[in-house]
Amino acid sequence: MSDAFCSDCKRQTEVVFDHSAGDTVCSECGLVLESHSIDETSEWRTFANESGDNDPVRVGGPTNPLLADGGLSTVIAKPNGTTGEFLSSSLGRWQNRGSNPDRGLILAFKTIATMSDRLGLVATIKDRANEIYKRVEDQKSSRGRNQDALLAACLYIACRQEDKPRTVKEICSVANGATKKEIGRAKEYIVKQLGLETGQSVEMGTIHAGDFMRRFCSNLGMNNQAVKAAQEAVQKSEEFDIRRSPISIAAAVIYIITQLSDDKKPLKDISVATGVAEGTIRNSYKDLYPHVSKILPGWYAKEEDLKNLCSP
């Protein structure tokens, strides 16, 4: 129920909405205040155990400005029944014979969407990756290149530009077999092509060790106090000239934090969770060790606690 002004009662009264008739009725005098209202809510509910073949949707998908027809082209389905199958197969053959300039783009967008879902990325990153791929594809210079590596590189660049970076190893894990080297080459190729298109260098965004910290800590199952300490420590580390990659610094900070907590994590587990080699973590720890007293927050570790850290 909600309140509305009733012209008969001359005041605000509670009104009832009749969904079957589309009428808004005053609950006190019964006057129909509004008739034939349009119900904008969903006309069905979808449950997880329902068959995928019984799709109640009677409308198409949203428009896509990156496609020539806006994504509104007609696709002939396969109805049940022998006559329907014959009709469908005939029309289907004619449809396949027709040239669809967006067929390659649609398949590429589906692949990007699948990779995004597997990484748990938001829709804005997926849309940015689609846009990057469309700009590269419009230059007609990507023929013969590894398509999976190209799509993975688009996703990597989109993550960087949206300030939600992912490591190359994370992207590689969903890239349908494309290697880190192939993705790296594809990334350089895309950056070069986009630079030629705009006449200026492509802004990739700056990577900070803190961008990876919460995700890495979550992979290791660290408690909230340890996660907070790690985030503060990694921000402090940026004040020092530590010539290591942000991912290596993040892994080394996590190693330090866990060694000072009751729930110590072995170096092997940290390496698996962060994708950084054990030797690289040790070397980064060696570079961080002289600054530990200034990097770690005082509420997490006292001066005497730092003596428990092993010497690099």
Side-chain angles (χ1 to χ4, degrees):
M1 283 191 180
S2 61
D3 292 344
F5 182 81
C6 176
S7 56
D8 273 10
C9 300
K10 305 297 183 184
R11 58 187 176 85
Q12 293 284 124
T13 61
E14 286 189 346
V15 296
V16 179
F17 184 73
D18 184 356
H19 291 272
S20 60
D23 296 338
T24 303
V25 184
C26 175
S27 62
E28 296 191 9
C29 67
L31 177 68
V32 177
L33 302 178
E34 186 178 358
S35 61
H36 303 294
S37 302
I38 298 175
D39 185 3
E40 297 180 353
T41 60
S42 176
E43 62 176 332
W44 66 84
R45 290 185 298 169
T46 304
F47 300 94
N49 58 351
E50 287 185 350
S51 172
D53 297 332
N54 300 324
D55 187 2
V57 177
R58 295 205 299 261
V59 296
T63 58
N64 189 340
L66 299 179
L67 301 178
D69 57 5
L72 300 178
S73 58
T74 301
V75 178
I76 300 171
K78 295 182 179 180
N80 297 326
T82 55
T83 306
E85 289 175 1
F86 171 78
L87 180 65
S88 173
S89 62
S90 301
L91 293 176
R93 282 199 302 271
W94 283 107
Q95 179 175 261
N96 291 332
R97 288 175 186 175
S99 59
N100 184 0
D102 292 332
R103 183 178 300 173
L105 281 177
I106 293 172
L107 292 175
F109 293 166
K110 285 182 179 179
T111 303
I112 290 175
T114 302
M115 291 192 293
S116 300
D117 291 341
R118 291 175 64 185
L119 288 172
L121 302 177
V122 295
T124 52
I125 296 177
K126 181 191 71 174
D127 294 340
R128 176 63 67 92
N130 289 344
E131 180 187 346
I132 293 171
Y133 179 78
K134 176 69 163 58
R135 290 170 59 188
V136 173
E137 186 67 18
D138 285 345
Q139 297 185 29
K140 307 295 182 184
S141 60
S142 60
R143 186 182 297 274
R145 294 186 174 272
N146 187 327
Q147 186 75 357
D148 291 324
L150 205 63
L151 296 174
C154 289
L155 197 59
Y156 175 80
I157 295 172
C159 289
R160 290 277 298 270
Q161 292 183 342
E162 291 293 325
D163 293 327
K164 300 292 182 183
R166 291 294 188 271
T167 65
V168 179
K169 280 192 176 182
E170 287 177 301
I171 299 293
C172 188
S173 66
V174 298
N176 301 321
T179 64
K180 287 176 60 179
K181 183 178 289 187
E182 290 172 335
I183 295 174
R185 288 174 179 170
K187 185 202 76 170
E188 297 298 329
Y189 164 75
I190 292 172
V191 170
K192 179 181 177 181
Q193 293 300 315
L194 296 182
L196 292 175
E197 179 192 26
T198 60
Q200 56 188 4
S201 60
V202 179
E203 181 61 40
M204 291 280 288
T206 305
I207 295 180
H208 300 280
D211 296 333
F212 307 96
M213 188 57 69
R214 182 170 289 277
R215 191 166 67 256
F216 288 167
C217 291
S218 176
N219 294 340
L220 286 165
M222 296 169 60
N223 58 52
N224 292 334
Q225 189 178 22
V227 173
K228 183 180 178 183
Q231 288 179 318
E232 291 185 18
V234 82
Q235 288 179 354
K236 277 283 186 181
S237 68
E238 294 182 359
E239 300 176 4
F240 302 93
D241 185 21
I242 302 170
R243 300 184 180 182
R244 294 283 174 180
S245 70
I247 302 171
S248 303
I249 293 174
V253 168
I254 290 175
Y255 176 72
I256 294 171
I257 294 295
T258 56
Q259 296 313 300
L260 294 173
S261 68
D262 297 331
D263 185 20
K264 293 181 171 56
K265 304 291 183 183
L267 192 60
K268 183 178 180 181
D269 289 355
I270 298 175
S271 175
V272 171
T274 60
V276 182
E278 294 182 33
T280 305
I281 297 176
R282 289 195 190 95
N283 292 334
S284 300
Y285 171 68
K286 184 178 180 180
D287 293 344
L288 283 172
Y289 187 77
H291 311 290
V292 163
S293 59
K294 299 177 182 178
I295 289 175
L296 292 178
W299 58 265
Y300 185 79
K302 304 299 181 185
E303 197 69 36
E304 55 270 16
D305 297 330
L306 301 181
K307 297 177 182 177
N308 297 328
L309 289 173
C310 58
S311 180

